[in-house]
Amino acid sequence: MSLALKSNNIATNYLGNINGIRGKQDWVAFFDFENDEYTTQKNGVRNTLTLAETITSNSAKNMAVKPQTMNKQGVRSYTTAATDVRRWKIGERFGVLIENEQTNWFANSAAPATQTISAIPAGSTLVASCIGAGSLVITGAGIDSIVVTEATPKTITPQAQTGAVTLNVEVVGTLSHVQVVRCAGFACVHSPITTTASRPNSGNDQLEIKQELLSSLLNTDQPVTVLIESVPMHQTQDARTMYNELRAAVETATLVAGIGMNKTSDVRIASRIVSLIKADNTAQLSGSGNAQQSTLNAASTQVAYLTATGAKLGLNGGDIYTAAAATNLNKLTRLRLAPALSTPQVQQGGNCIITKLAIFNRQMSDAEILEYSKSWN
């Protein structure tokens, strides 16, 4: 006679929590951009998708030379179309890349030569970076002289400037690319923007979960939870008191809500939500949670629990922020990844990679929200 053992756990509980999600594995979708695995589950049935079946890209790239992408080994190449889904490796992490529109103020960036950059708008905070074995020496009125190498990009903050900013950029040694961009959101190194004598804006990356896929997964009479891990692009020290970026935007028939982070000069971060009414562009809700200590370039896990009567946000296992005034945010029709929003209100897009994204469609306790926000940490 033999002994047969049968588990009393449902099949959606993974032994050993191998995908890094803390808590119940009853998601309706789990998209692992880091490992190129895209799975949905409904009524106990799992379905495997491709990236092309998961994401729509409507990127508005406006570059003379196509934007760069990167494989998991860190090898760069140029995309074949502006609407390609770009990937990027940051340290040992890998995911889909979303960047806010930027302008590279350094002319002829692929053949770097010493130059003076003028007419940069007053009050700008900038990041200088380069690729190659050489360096940059940057000086100018109202700034401290800085030296930039490939390994040490730097923030430039002109002090007490009431007029346009002028920078003297000296190229020392051999470089293959130079970049000077104004910060939009967090101060960080943008992927290479190749310029000629002209300096067009790069345009935004615009990625979203396919609307028909999202619709097929959700019962929007129930709460919807979005769990997302992001890694910022190479950040540099920033003296600004407070600045922010989106990590997701949800949309219903009547609302647009940006979900992101505030960040301070001493590297504290907090969850942030801005919910706006489409019809008249007024704020339904705007607020942020308690700031918690972080470090430059650290990955963050965010939870946005969206219901008919409010929203709750969790970040890296910290305090839950309750936004009780938000209504019907669970009736999702769109889910965009770290987008730049121009309407109903301007909100800064992300400069990051999205590594993981899970969607749940049920009631959650505060304890569950807190536990999910510890995922992948």
Side-chain angles (χ1 to χ4, degrees), residues 225-228 301-305 312-315 369 372-373:
T225 300
V226 179
L227 172 64
I228 191 166
T301 301
Q302 291 181 276
V303 176
Y305 176 63
K312 293 183 178 182
L313 304 180
L315 176 65
I369 295 170
Y372 281 123
S373 76

Side-chain angles (χ1 to χ4, degrees), residues 61-292:
K61 288 299 180 185
N62 178 35
M63 301 170 68
V65 175
K66 292 290 190 294
Q68 287 190 10
T69 187
M70 188 183 290
N71 65 18
K72 205 168 186 178
Q73 289 68 49
V75 178
R76 302 184 191 201
S77 60
Y78 290 98
T79 62
T80 58
T83 54
D84 284 348
V85 176
R86 298 196 293 149
R87 332 289 178 89
W88 210 255
K89 186 178 183 184
I90 301 174
E92 296 304 311
R93 305 304 305 274
F94 183 71
V96 292
L97 174 62
I98 301 101
E99 291 180 302
N100 206 13
E101 181 175 82
Q102 296 278 18
T103 297
N104 183 1
W105 286 78
F106 193 92
N108 300 305
S109 61
T114 296
Q115 61 189 258
T116 297
I117 305 172
S118 59
I120 300 172
S124 296
T125 296
L126 305 114
V127 172
S129 61
C130 59
I131 299 173
S135 63
L136 304 172
V137 178
I138 301 178
T139 58
I143 71 167
D144 296 326
S145 175
I146 61 171
V147 176
V148 175
T149 67
E150 182 170 357
T152 58
K154 298 283 180 63
T155 309
I156 305 167
T157 307
Q159 303 298 319
Q161 291 257 19
T162 57
V165 177
T166 297
L167 300 177
N168 302 308
V169 184
E170 179 186 0
V171 176
V172 180
T174 303
L175 295 172
S176 60
H177 181 80
V178 172
Q179 192 149 286
V180 177
V181 299
R182 295 176 66 203
C183 298
F186 302 161
C188 65
V189 177
H190 195 283
S191 66
I193 304 170
T194 303
T195 61
T196 58
S198 63
R199 301 185 294 258
N201 293 336
S202 67
N204 294 308
D205 290 299
Q206 298 177 10
L207 304 181
E208 69 175 287
I209 303 306
K210 283 188 175 290
Q211 292 180 37
E212 62 272 23
L213 173 62
L214 189 67
S215 175
S216 72
L217 294 172
L218 297 180
N219 172 6
T220 56
D221 290 329
Q222 292 294 318
V224 176
T225 300
V226 179
L227 172 64
I228 191 166
E229 185 191 44
S230 63
V231 182
M233 291 292 279
H234 190 153
Q235 292 177 334
T236 55
Q237 293 288 347
D238 193 341
R240 289 175 295 170
T241 302
M242 179 79 73
Y243 35 103
N244 55 72
E245 282 187 358
L246 293 186
R247 288 297 180 261
V250 296
E251 187 170 336
T252 74
T254 57
L255 304 170
V256 175
I259 298 162
M261 286 185 287
N262 290 332
K263 186 168 175 288
T264 60
S265 58
D266 59 353
V267 199
R268 287 175 293 129
I269 58 174
S271 291
R272 177 176 185 268
I273 183 169
V274 179
S275 178
L276 299 152
I277 299 170
K278 290 181 183 180
D280 57 12
N281 294 353
T282 58
Q284 182 201 34
L285 167 78
S286 179
S288 61
N290 294 327
Q292 56 185 270

Side-chain angles (χ1 to χ4, degrees), residues 329-344:
L329 285 173
N330 56 312
K331 297 190 178 299
L332 269 63
T333 58
R334 296 181 73 183
L335 172 56
R336 286 175 277 179
L337 305 183
L341 297 182
S342 56
T343 60

